[in-house]
Amino acid sequence: MHWSDEVAKKLISLHPDKEEFVLAAGTSPSGTVHIGNFRDAVTVYFVAKALRSQGKKTVLLLSWDDYDRFRKVPKNLPEDKIKEYENYIGLPYSAVPDPFGCHASYAEHYEKEYEESLKKIGLEFDIIRYQSKEYMSGRYKDGIITALKNRKEIYDIMQEFKTQEYSAEERENFYPLSIYCDKCGKDTTKITELSSDCNVVGYSCKCGNVSTVNISEQGNSKLPWKVDWPMRWTYEGVDFEPGGKDHASPQGSYQVSRIIAKKIYNIYEPLFQGYEFIGIKGLTGKMSGSSGLNINLEELLKIYPPEIIWWIYAKKTPNEAFDISLGDDVPRIYGEFDRVYENYYKNDESLDEITKSTLDIILDGSPKKVNPPFSILLTLYSISNGKIDMIEEMFTKIGMSFKAEELKERLDKVAYWLQKYAPNMLMKLNTSPDFEYFETLDDEVKGWVKAFCDLIKIKMDSEELTTQLYAIPKKESADNKENKKNQLLFFKTMYRLLIGEDKGPMLSTLILAVGSENILPIVEPLVAGNTNN
Ligand SMILES: [Zn+2]
Ligand SMILES: [Zn+2]
């Protein structure tokens, strides 16, 4: 059973009579929403699919925590902005200007960026809530007043999770509320009094302002996270919500929030699913976590098509941490996916049950796509300088046929990936014979090169050519080990002579795609010179 089916089953057993389930994902627009945060949406998405396949209805809710305070200036802001943005610390994200100047606020910039990429991958939320709007509209006024009325009980609940000692004085002055100053807009405020009906709050601000908030009429206050979270569960009727694993720890916010939900708001907590972190494999040089450069879904979609991204996420249970590869592994990931994809549509029995159910969820009855092999595309892209008509023609030469529109999606990804993440994989055919290297070879190897030239003058298909290439350095008298060694040496020699590298794409693919008429001029003069001597 896929992990999402297990969660769905658990939800149904918790609420057997429920027809419609509310599944909530939540994200902070504190910067680019990276691919680790995307796991939140993915978890909700797969559980919703599982619930629907079991006959239930679902409501997918995305909540933006954009009324949280702007805590620190991210490292990846333009350099000339860093000083300026230090002045905005303490404002809600929704009130900080967009550093790139294209949206109404800092929050909106990152919200729209993420929402756009969700659209591209085909994940649509039924409801999107911007917490700044919800708070400012006064929607939560009763929830806030309830928290203020029960402030001492909330203190006691939080105290149970803390190591520091209980203090009667601290309890007396505990207000689970932060106020954005009505003069400077920041939360550098301190509550000084509270009316007996808990509706009017007096405060003073670091900026010198002394003022009051009328909770029923003004929206410039916000509950702290551990109270805000359960308060919102009551407003939205949330049944399921995933979160980073740190929330689920014994001291984590989920444990505190669920007790507040029960004792203060009289509701049951939603089912929680913690998930592990996601790392990036293949980031080198200045692209690292410490530089503040995050990989987001938008970037991932430039390297992988949606179905492969879903597959990468879905095959891991939420409790498994994993790395997403952007480096040399990318062709292998494509290859792995293509193999299971083909087997899936062939109804191959070798496909294990989990892989099959994972693909059931991802592909969801969609018709089979034509997937030109990524590793071959890579070779053909390189040697053709990315010219699509040439690539189409070369595919025909190696016995595969794809239309230009079938090549387009993966070709764009090959081009982007090669240029940004794997320029070392971009290969070029040598333009002239490499006499210098050839002279370092011993006579036996030179003989193989001669045999190579003779072989590629004969027309044959890819499979036959591969067999014949392996046969060139093979000797009847030699054992397996020696033959293997010689084959390796032969291929290495040919790669050096053809593309100036020790390794390369499948040799038969290269020969057929480029055409022997283009290969002979860079190898034949070598052996011609050799026999003349
Ligand atoms: Zn913007
Ligand atoms: Zn102020």
Side-chain angles (χ1 to χ4, degrees), residues 181-186 188-189 205-209:
C181 170
D182 60 16
K183 201 163 171 200
C184 71
K186 296 186 180 182
T188 45
T189 52
C205 178
K206 267 192 180 157
C207 73
N209 185 30

Side-chain angles (χ1 to χ4, degrees), residues 35-170:
I35 54 177
N37 304 134
F38 175 56
R39 201 169 196 181
D40 206 70
V42 170
T43 308
V44 160
Y45 179 67
F46 282 116
V47 172
K49 279 200 161 202
L51 279 168
R52 291 200 293 271
S53 76
Q54 293 177 41
K56 299 295 181 183
K57 288 188 187 125
T58 56
V59 176
L60 268 71
L61 173 82
L62 173 64
S63 176
W64 282 110
D65 296 327
D66 58 7
Y67 212 40
D68 288 5
R69 79 191 297 256
F70 182 60
R71 273 185 307 180
K72 59 174 186 206
V73 183
K75 288 179 191 156
N76 58 348
L77 277 200
E79 204 142 306
D80 58 322
K81 298 274 178 190
I82 294 194
K83 205 81 230 118
E84 178 195 342
Y85 275 67
E86 274 162 13
N87 298 324
Y88 302 137
I89 288 174
L91 291 174
Y93 287 116
S94 57
V96 176
D98 179 0
F100 308 97
C102 38
H103 295 88
S105 70
Y106 183 97
E108 197 184 289
H109 180 87
Y110 294 110
E111 288 164 355
K112 293 304 159 203
E113 177 187 271
Y114 186 53
E115 287 170 19
E116 282 303 311
S117 45
L118 286 176
K119 230 180 258 169
K120 279 187 200 159
I121 200 168
L123 202 175
E124 280 203 47
F125 280 90
D126 301 297
I127 301 171
I128 300 183
R129 296 260 191 252
Y130 304 92
Q131 292 309 327
S132 57
K133 288 189 186 131
E134 301 303 316
Y135 268 103
M136 287 194 286
S137 74
R139 182 183 180 209
Y140 299 144
K141 59 180 194 283
D142 295 336
I144 295 171
I145 290 171
T146 302
L148 288 175
K149 282 184 175 159
N150 294 282
R151 63 193 180 92
K152 290 176 188 169
E153 288 74 12
I154 292 175
Y155 176 84
D156 294 339
I157 294 167
M158 288 183 162
Q159 197 55 38
E160 283 170 39
F161 292 87
K162 283 182 181 160
T163 44
Q164 80 213 52
E165 236 162 274
Y166 169 91
S167 144
E169 195 197 334
E170 203 180 65

